[in-house]
Amino acid sequence: MNYTKIIFLWLFLITGCYNGKHLSNWDPTFYNKKNEISILENIFRKLNLFSKKKYLGNNYEENESFKRGLNYYFKSLNFDLDQKTTREAIENLNKFIKEYPNSSKIEEINEILNKLSKKLEKKDYYIANTYFFMKKYQSSLIYFQDFLNNFPKSNFKEDVLYKICLITYKLSINNNKNKKNQILNFLKAYYRYVKSYPNSPNIKKLKIFYEKLLK
């Protein structure tokens, strides 16, 4: 009796690697060196999986979910490049928090999410600012307004509000068709900025614009 073959078949069956298709139609040539290597690889892969589940227990799925989120995080590109992977990382890590709210990894995940959010914040500011310096004021205004909605506590907030004042002033003096509405938009932006940053040195310049438009 060939005990090696019996041991292989036993391991093959117990690890679930054997689908039974050769059981009813046994082919004597099935057991050869080439298939032996394939069988071994399959067995060890299965045994490794069982080993992980055994030692990690109920934390196995939690750890796998955490690893998926980290994988996207490590692949996240610099802020001035495509941020698809950054958003996928945020989505996966938020999903983890929802599924495992009592996990010991929550604090670490929140730190990672903060870094990823800062990257998206910088990206959106970069886009709006690019339009501003290109003098595409209408597009810049839309992006800056969206930025404030998405990141209301941003460190860029003062600069954004100031640039919105500049943009609305430029649009009010360059657009005769909707001049009244553009002036109102500037006044709204101006009052908002003054109220938020009453001691800013920028107010002196904005006040000059304010007085010109009210003449």
Side-chain angles (χ1 to χ4, degrees):
M1 181 179 292
N2 192 325
Y3 290 102
T4 304
K5 291 184 180 180
I6 294 173
I7 292 170
F8 262 99
L9 180 58
W10 180 78
L11 285 171
F12 206 34
L13 287 168
I14 202 168
T15 56
C17 300
Y18 189 72
N19 59 17
K21 72 177 182 179
H22 295 286
L23 194 60
S24 57
N25 299 298
W26 177 257
D27 182 357
T29 64
F30 173 71
Y31 182 86
N32 53 47
K33 290 294 181 183
K34 183 178 179 181
N35 281 333
E36 181 180 330
I37 294 172
S38 176
I39 292 168
L40 278 172
E41 288 176 347
N42 219 2
I43 288 171
F44 287 134
R45 186 172 68 249
K46 288 284 183 177
L47 288 175
N48 184 48
L49 178 63
F50 293 158
S51 176
K52 285 181 180 178
K53 288 185 176 179
K54 177 182 177 182
Y55 289 107
L56 295 175
N58 294 331
N59 292 332
Y60 177 76
E61 292 298 333
E62 178 183 331
N63 287 336
E64 289 299 302
S65 178
F66 180 59
K67 281 164 60 179
R68 280 193 295 273
L70 281 185
N71 186 46
Y72 284 113
Y73 168 59
F74 291 132
K75 290 180 179 178
S76 176
L77 302 176
N78 195 37
F79 81 91
D80 55 337
L81 300 174
D82 182 68
Q83 293 302 299
K84 180 182 178 182
T85 310
T86 302
R87 290 185 174 88
E88 288 174 335
I90 291 173
E91 181 181 345
N92 276 272
L93 291 172
N94 277 325
K95 183 180 178 183
F96 179 94
I97 292 174
K98 185 177 180 181
E99 292 178 348
Y100 307 101
N102 299 317
S103 172
S104 60
K105 300 178 178 66
I106 296 296
E107 185 177 349
E108 182 181 354
I109 288 175
N110 283 330
E111 290 177 3
I112 293 172
L113 284 171
N114 185 53
K115 291 178 182 178
L116 293 170
S117 179
K118 291 291 183 184
K119 191 179 288 191
L120 292 182
E121 177 184 334
K122 199 172 181 179
K123 173 75 172 182
D124 287 1
Y125 175 80
Y126 174 82
I127 293 172
N129 221 26
T130 299
Y131 280 116
F132 178 78
F133 286 115
M134 291 171 64
K135 297 184 179 182
K136 294 186 176 182
Y137 295 125
Q138 195 62 55
S139 297
S140 181
L141 179 61
I142 292 170
Y143 275 99
F144 275 135
Q145 288 171 336
D146 286 343
F147 179 89
L148 291 174
N149 290 330
N150 295 328
F151 308 100
K153 297 181 180 180
S154 171
N155 291 331
F156 298 115
K157 185 174 181 179
E158 181 179 356
D159 183 68
V160 171
L161 289 176
Y162 176 64
K163 284 176 178 170
I164 287 177
C165 289
L166 297 181
I167 290 168
T168 50
Y169 174 73
K170 291 285 186 182
L171 291 174
S172 66
I173 62 174
N174 295 330
N175 192 337
N176 293 321
K177 187 176 180 181
N178 296 312
K179 193 173 184 66
K180 185 177 180 180
N181 287 335
Q182 297 295 349
I183 291 174
L184 289 174
N185 288 336
F186 169 78
L187 293 175
K188 188 187 297 184
Y190 172 77
Y191 290 133
R192 183 180 183 183
Y193 184 84
V194 171
K195 182 178 179 181
S196 300
Y197 306 99
N199 299 317
S200 172
N202 292 323
I203 291 177
K204 187 175 181 179
K205 182 177 181 179
L206 292 178
K207 194 170 183 180
I208 295 172
F209 297 155
Y210 174 84
E211 291 172 350
K212 282 184 177 180
L213 290 177
L214 291 183
K215 283 182 179 179

